[in-house]
Amino acid sequence: MPPMQLEALTRRHFFGATSAGLGGAALASLLAQQGFADSPAQTAAAPLPAKVKRVIYLFQSGGPAQHDLFDYKPLLNQKNGEQLPPEVRGGQRLTGMSAQQSSLPLAGSQFKFAQHGQSGAWLSDLLPHHREIVDDLCFVKSMWTEAINHDPAITFFQTGSQIAGRPSLGAWLSYGLGSMNDDLPSFIVLVTANQGDQPLYARLWGSGFLDSKFQGVQFRPGAEPVLYLSNPDGVCRSGRRAMLDKLSDLNRLQFEQELDPEIESRITQYEMAYRMQTSVPDATDLSQETDATFEMYGADSRTPGTFAANCLLARRLAERGVRFIQLYHQGWDHHGGLPAGIRSQCRETDQASAALVKDLKQRGMLDDTLVIWGGEFGRTSYSQGALTATDYGRDHHPRCFTVWMAGGGVRPGMSYGATDDYGYNIVDADGAPLTPTKDAFTPGAVHVHDLQATILHLLGVDHTQLVYKHQGRRFRLTDVHGHVVNDLLA
């Protein structure tokens, strides 16, 4: 069959298989020209009114200890050193790190808690700067997940599956909503530099089986934020332009022969890289910021690659229309030495996290930006390892933990969900234990897929409609689960 007929057949099959169809794609294209849509996929993926335009996700890798930050449990201090009651544990599986312990002594927090703001939210004294934004935050204290170890748990949060290979949340959004800026990627990743602990992998911001152009682009600190973006010595910008034009001609010839859509993506990515040669230096130049801004984010914000500098950079990227900005900060995996370890982590993250919310708010951007803070699971109320008067550790705990959100579309100044007096299980408003399942929504409990569905809803996306057919199956971020948690919505 001649190449042109094969190409026509391929296009015909493509439009016939898409949920929007040829008419929907054409309509979306026209709407995009008029500023009503960002990509042809939007009419199928985003039939809902969007509450926010962009997301900044401050992912705290390792699992922050909720009992020492947000979830105040005075009973743990009263019963410090006593054994976790078997009826509270309820036969829950433990990790191999504490399953061999002869006892599971309860560990009260060594940090003082107090209520703050009009909302009266409880905060540890580790988080003095959170007090300034507490009434802007929506705490979810009844998050739960299925994974009990780091790699599957992080992968689950980022891709909706514990098994590697699926598209990440940012990739799904890039696929479904497109870009708001022609000169920067729609999905950018910032990782705190020189921060040890559990490893992070590029697949966490990968595109999986989606087109590679939807994967996250990692920005690094230093003179070259994006690897291999600058021209080699001896190559000027006009020379690079001429080379790309010839390379594009060759790629198009290859595409006509093979009809591989990845070839077109390659052309698109080369062109984006060319435009990024001027847009990236401008976006990452923090010297344009005022002294007052640096003071708000903290002294670390002047050092590229720190969490504080990345928070400030995230605001600059949000201003420039980046759709999804993912920050990763490692170091929360405190199996031992928790008091010293978590104190150090909060010094690095508390002020900058609060500053980001305040900065967005004062610039009028918080109304259409969603900020998310949290890790892959929580920590146990019992001590892993020896419990002493000055030291303790906490193991992984998937049954209940805390995340917070701020921004347009979520209810500010509220705490959703509750845990029992031991901080071990999710309970209802009357304190009765809940046994949530991902197959049906349990009011008061928020599964990972529920959080993902709610994030997509705030962006105007019905999570059940953002679908991609791969190897004969229709995939989505929330698999066949997920429920929008309407009580979190403003």
Side-chain angles (χ1 to χ4, degrees), residues 396-431:
H396 310 164
H397 191 64
R399 276 198 182 184
C400 56
F401 57 104
T402 301
V403 304
W404 61 252
M405 297 186 287
V410 298
R411 293 176 60 185
M414 75 166 293
S415 292
Y416 180 82
T419 59
D420 61 25
D421 291 340
Y422 292 89
Y424 202 87
N425 296 295
I426 298 172
V427 296
D428 64 17
D430 298 322

Side-chain angles (χ1 to χ4, degrees), residues 42 169 234 335 337 436 488:
Q42 190 173 18
L169 171 57
H335 291 277
L488 300 178

Side-chain angles (χ1 to χ4, degrees), residues 108-165:
S109 177
Q110 292 193 1
F111 305 101
K112 295 180 180 179
F113 278 76
Q115 290 177 285
H116 299 280
Q118 295 182 349
S119 61
W122 289 96
L123 289 176
S124 158
D125 60 8
L126 288 169
L127 301 169
H129 294 279
H130 273 64
R131 301 171 193 170
E132 302 168 13
I133 61 167
V134 70
D135 287 332
D136 293 309
L137 303 184
C138 175
F139 292 97
V140 181
K141 295 188 174 181
S142 55
M143 278 297 309
W144 69 280
T145 184
E146 302 161 44
I148 199 170
N149 288 311
H150 292 287
D151 185 84
I154 296 175
T155 305
F156 195 31
F157 256 95
Q158 302 308 308
T159 71
S161 172
Q162 296 185 51
I163 301 173

Side-chain angles (χ1 to χ4, degrees), residues 273-489:
Y274 180 76
R275 297 193 297 272
M276 286 169 60
Q277 287 184 332
T278 56
S279 63
V280 168
D282 173 69
T284 57
D285 183 9
L286 300 188
S287 67
Q288 303 174 30
E289 299 293 334
T290 65
D291 289 340
T293 299
F294 284 117
E295 290 172 7
M296 180 169 61
Y297 281 86
D300 283 352
S301 62
R302 296 183 182 273
T303 304
T306 61
F307 180 78
N310 285 347
C311 283
L312 178 52
L313 178 55
R315 189 267 292 161
R316 293 177 60 85
L317 294 172
E319 285 180 310
R320 287 158 174 77
V322 177
R323 174 82 65 187
F324 192 84
I325 306 155
Q326 177 90 61
L327 276 67
Y328 287 94
H329 181 80
Q330 298 161 282
W332 293 95
D333 191 25
H334 298 132
H335 291 277
L338 184 145
I342 200 170
R343 188 179 286 112
S344 176
Q345 285 293 97
C346 289
R347 279 197 299 266
E348 295 177 5
T349 60
D350 170 45
Q351 182 172 356
S353 300
L356 177 60
V357 173
K358 291 189 292 184
D359 200 5
L360 291 170
K361 188 174 182 179
Q362 71 183 12
R363 294 170 186 271
M365 295 176 61
L366 191 59
D367 290 341
D368 58 6
T369 304
L370 177 65
V371 182
I372 309 165
W373 190 105
E376 66 268 33
F377 42 53
R379 314 300 295 196
T380 56
S381 53
Y382 63 80
S383 177
Q384 180 186 330
L387 172 66
T388 71
T390 59
D391 198 21
Y392 53 92
R394 299 191 190 277
D395 203 355
H396 310 164
H397 191 64
R399 276 198 182 184
C400 56
F401 57 104
T402 301
V403 304
W404 61 252
M405 297 186 287
V410 298
R411 293 176 60 185
M414 75 166 293
S415 292
Y416 180 82
T419 59
D420 61 25
D421 291 340
Y422 292 89
Y424 202 87
N425 296 295
I426 298 172
V427 296
D428 64 17
D430 298 322
L434 295 175
T435 54
T437 171
K438 64 181 179 181
D439 298 320
F441 179 63
T442 303
V446 182
H447 183 263
V448 173
H449 286 320
D450 298 334
L451 179 67
Q452 293 164 339
T454 304
I455 293 170
L456 293 180
H457 177 85
L458 290 169
L459 286 155
V461 177
D462 182 343
H463 73 104
T464 66
Q465 299 300 311
L466 184 56
V467 176
Y468 187 88
K469 190 173 182 180
H470 174 65
Q471 294 183 342
R473 178 189 164 185
R474 289 176 172 82
F475 286 87
R476 68 185 207 219
L477 174 66
T478 53
D479 196 40
V480 295
H481 306 287
H483 306 82
V484 175
V485 186
N486 290 305
D487 288 339
L488 300 178
L489 306 181

Side-chain angles (χ1 to χ4, degrees), residues 194-259:
N194 304 317
Q195 194 79 4
D197 208 2
Q198 294 296 325
L200 299 173
Y201 314 95
R203 60 173 167 77
L204 295 174
W205 50 90
S207 57
F209 44 69
L210 297 178
D211 195 299
S212 60
K213 66 185 178 185
F214 299 123
Q215 68 186 350
V217 176
Q218 185 178 354
F219 278 26
R220 294 167 168 82
E224 193 171 1
V226 180
L227 296 179
Y228 314 116
L229 185 64
S230 58
N231 291 328
D233 293 340
V235 177
C236 63
R237 187 163 175 79
S238 60
R240 170 60 68 109
R241 180 68 268 167
M243 184 272 289
L244 287 177
D245 290 340
K246 294 299 182 183
L247 185 60
S248 178
D249 291 341
L250 292 173
N251 277 322
R252 292 190 188 283
L253 287 173
Q254 185 181 13
F255 176 75
E256 290 177 3
Q257 293 176 350
E258 300 180 13
L259 300 179

